[in-house]
Amino acid sequence: MDARLGIIGSVLILMNGVACVGAAVPVALASATSTSSTLAPMASGLFIAAQSVAASTPSPSVSRSRFVKINMPVLLDRNGQALPLPANAEIPLNLFPDVAYTGVIEQIQQDGDGYSWVGHLKDVATSSMTIVYTAGVFAGNFASPAGVYEVSNVGGDLYEIIQIDQTPFQGGD
C-alpha cells in the first residue's frame, strides 16, 4: 500500500474512532432559512493550484496527482476556528482541472483544536466527503462512483491531491 494512502486512512480512522467514543463535540451548524447554501467567497474552490519543488513519488495505486494549497477561508476563520456554516452548506471542491464537485457538509465535529467536516458530493449517489483539520494540517477523502480522491500534506502549506487507481478493484475503470 502506498504510504500516503496509509497516512490519510490513519488520520481519518483516528478522527472517526475518537468521534465514536464520544470525545468529539459536534459543532452546531448555523440555522439557515434555506436547506442549501453556497458560500459566496469561495468561487475558486477549496484548493489553490501550487507548484512543488519536490516531485511526486510514482505509485501504482495513484492514477494522477497535483499539488495545491488549501483555501483556508472556505472552512476556517482567521483564528483557525471552524466557520459556523449553515445546515447543508455547499463548498466547491476543485480536485483537478477536469474534476469538480460541490461538497455538502452534513456534520461538523470538533475534537480538541481539530475539526472534521463530513458529508457527500452534491447530486452524486453513493458519494462521501470527509475533511479533517488537526494540528494545523488538513487531510481529505472524496469518494464517488467516478473516482476516489485523497488530499494529504506534503510539508508546510503544500498538499497533494491524488486520484486512486481503481482498476485493480472489480468494476474499476
Side-chain angles (χ1 to χ4, degrees):
M1 174 181 275
D2 186 299
R4 293 174 293 185
L5 300 179
I7 291 169
I8 292 294
S10 299
V11 171
L12 296 177
I13 291 168
L14 174 63
M15 292 301 292
N16 287 335
V18 171
C20 290
V21 297
V25 177
V27 176
L29 292 170
S31 62
T33 54
S34 73
T35 58
S36 178
S37 174
T38 301
L39 304 174
M42 277 64 73
S44 64
L46 182 58
F47 306 108
I48 302 165
Q51 299 297 319
S52 171
V53 292
S56 178
T57 305
S59 168
S61 63
V62 175
S63 295
R64 61 181 168 165
S65 67
R66 81 175 184 130
F67 292 100
V68 297
K69 293 186 178 190
I70 305 294
N71 188 1
M72 301 285 190
V74 171
L75 298 171
L76 301 174
D77 66 18
R78 286 187 229 171
N79 298 318
Q81 304 296 308
L83 292 172
L85 301 174
N88 295 312
E90 296 179 359
I91 60 170
L93 302 170
N94 52 327
L95 298 165
F96 287 93
D98 63 336
V99 178
Y101 291 104
T102 298
V104 179
I105 298 173
E106 299 167 359
Q107 179 180 343
I108 303 171
Q109 291 188 327
Q110 181 178 8
D111 181 27
D113 65 349
Y115 299 95
S116 62
W117 296 263
V118 179
H120 66 276
L121 305 176
K122 184 177 181 178
D123 300 327
V124 180
T126 66
S127 65
S128 67
M129 171 187 79
T130 304
I131 304 168
V132 175
Y133 176 74
T134 187
V137 176
F138 279 93
N141 182 289
F142 309 94
S144 77
V148 177
Y149 308 88
E150 293 193 351
V151 179
S152 61
N153 183 266
V154 293
D157 64 350
L158 189 64
Y159 291 80
E160 184 176 20
I161 299 175
I162 62 168
Q163 180 176 1
I164 298 172
D165 181 7
Q166 298 293 299
T167 56
F169 305 107
Q170 185 177 23
D173 17 27

